Amino acid sequence: MEREFTNVVLLFFCYSLIGWLWETVYCSLKAKHFVYRGFLLGPITPIYGFGVVGVLYLIEPYQQNLVLLFVLALLLVTVLEYLTSFLLEKIFHLSLWDYKDVPLNINGRVAVPVSIFWGLACVFIVRVLNPYLMNLITEWQQRFGIFLPMILLMITSFDLGFTLANLASLRQAINKMNLTIQDKKEQLSSDFGELKVAAEERLQNRQWLTELKEQPEWRKQLPKLNFQERRFLNGFPNMKSKDIIGPLAEIRQLAKELRKK
């Protein structure tokens, strides 16, 4: 029982780390600058750990059949991805990814091409990567016993609590910044009166930010984001929030300006 517990926990953390590395490299190359991905502060992305461990244990009896392995893995990871997106939106009012521009998507939460990729990745993991990783985990188990998984779980528990606290404060901060931006936009629109074209051009050119810069007192009214809050805000370029009226790009620009002295 202890050995199986250790295997499951270490597999979870290994694949969470691999998933974090994959997303960080992919998103950094796509953005052409380093992007610190992940929901938690630590270098792990738990959805990958849950997904792969689920494939390894829940559909173990069918892993000898490549087609069945691919189909069941595809279905499992798709359900997990959809459920994760749904819960994030319902609990935190946030959407961290959006597949609406991808063909054959379901509510922007999952998409057939993406699910096919995950299914193929799971086949590679089960047939090629996992046997090598299990040898490594066996060595860790012999050397550290149950202490290594327990330490990792404790660290991750603190990380989760810290992340949830920062996520709550981030929601309050971006809501306040959003209200400030919208108020300034409305003020600019009313100042121009019927000159709607000129007003729209100034709004599109972020004239609202210039106007705020000219008012020193605005900095005192808005919160400064800490590292975790900035990382979360900048690490998910497709993030959306039901609480925000305007684009999050404006929130990011304002947060960047608030960091300046």
Side-chain angles (χ1 to χ4, degrees):
M1 186 68 180
E2 179 181 316
R3 182 174 182 179
E4 193 64 27
F5 170 79
T6 301
N7 285 343
V8 171
V9 174
L10 292 181
L11 280 172
F12 167 79
F13 279 102
C14 284
Y15 285 113
S16 295
L17 173 61
I18 291 172
W20 178 86
L21 288 171
W22 155 255
E23 281 205 356
T24 299
V25 171
Y26 173 77
C27 294
S28 296
L29 291 175
K30 188 176 179 180
K32 297 181 180 180
H33 62 82
F34 179 73
V35 178
Y36 195 115
R37 292 284 289 186
F39 182 79
L40 300 177
L41 180 60
I44 61 171
T45 305
I47 188 173
Y48 288 92
F50 285 118
V52 175
V53 169
V55 169
L56 292 174
Y57 284 89
L58 296 180
I59 61 176
E60 183 179 7
Y62 312 101
Q63 291 177 3
Q64 297 307 313
N65 186 319
L66 276 178
V67 175
L68 201 53
L69 170 61
F70 168 74
V71 172
L72 292 178
L74 181 151
L75 292 175
L76 181 61
V77 296
T78 299
V79 170
L80 177 62
E81 187 172 30
Y82 190 96
L83 183 62
T84 302
S85 175
F86 176 81
L87 291 176
L88 283 172
E89 187 171 329
K90 292 300 178 181
I91 297 174
F92 300 111
H93 298 251
L94 289 173
S95 175
L96 300 186
W97 61 84
D98 189 356
Y99 295 139
K100 288 184 179 177
D101 294 330
V102 180
L104 303 176
N105 72 82
I106 303 176
N107 299 327
R109 304 183 193 278
V110 294
V112 171
V114 178
S115 296
I116 291 175
F117 171 79
W118 295 135
L120 293 173
C122 287
V123 171
F124 171 80
I125 288 170
V126 171
R127 289 300 187 91
V128 180
L129 179 59
N130 199 64
Y132 291 99
L133 191 57
M134 283 304 300
N135 291 333
L136 184 60
I137 286 177
T138 299
E139 293 181 9
W140 291 345
Q141 189 178 57
Q142 293 173 351
R143 180 175 299 183
F144 303 107
I146 198 173
F147 294 105
L148 179 58
M150 292 302 296
I151 290 173
L152 290 173
L153 287 172
M154 289 176 59
I155 293 174
T156 304
S157 297
F158 284 115
D159 192 347
L160 178 60
F162 177 74
T163 299
L164 292 177
N166 278 270
L167 189 57
S169 62
L170 174 62
R171 282 187 58 195
Q172 295 178 356
I174 62 178
N175 286 341
K176 192 168 185 178
M177 286 190 281
N178 178 64
L179 288 175
T180 300
I181 293 172
Q182 299 308 318
D183 288 344
K184 179 53 63 176
K185 283 184 175 182
E186 291 178 5
Q187 181 183 339
L188 284 170
S189 297
S190 61
D191 288 345
F192 279 96
E194 296 180 356
L195 299 177
K196 294 183 179 180
V197 175
E200 289 177 359
E201 288 180 353
R202 292 191 70 183
L203 293 178
Q204 290 176 359
N205 292 330
R206 294 180 178 173
Q207 184 65 25
W208 55 267
L209 185 58
T210 302
E211 295 288 333
L212 285 173
K213 289 180 183 179
E214 295 174 355
Q215 302 172 5
E217 68 278 3
W218 70 279
R219 286 182 178 270
K220 300 178 182 179
Q221 301 173 3
L222 294 175
K224 268 191 176 182
L225 304 183
N226 61 31
F227 171 78
Q228 175 71 330
E229 292 169 336
R230 295 196 307 272
R231 185 196 67 80
F232 200 87
L233 183 63
N234 297 322
F236 296 91
N238 295 323
M239 182 171 65
K240 295 180 180 179
S241 173
K242 288 185 175 180
D243 301 331
I244 306 286
I245 298 176
L248 274 174
E250 295 179 341
I251 303 293
R252 294 186 181 98
Q253 180 66 26
L254 183 55
K256 184 178 180 180
E257 186 62 34
L258 285 169
R259 292 190 65 194
K260 298 178 181 179
K261 294 182 179 181

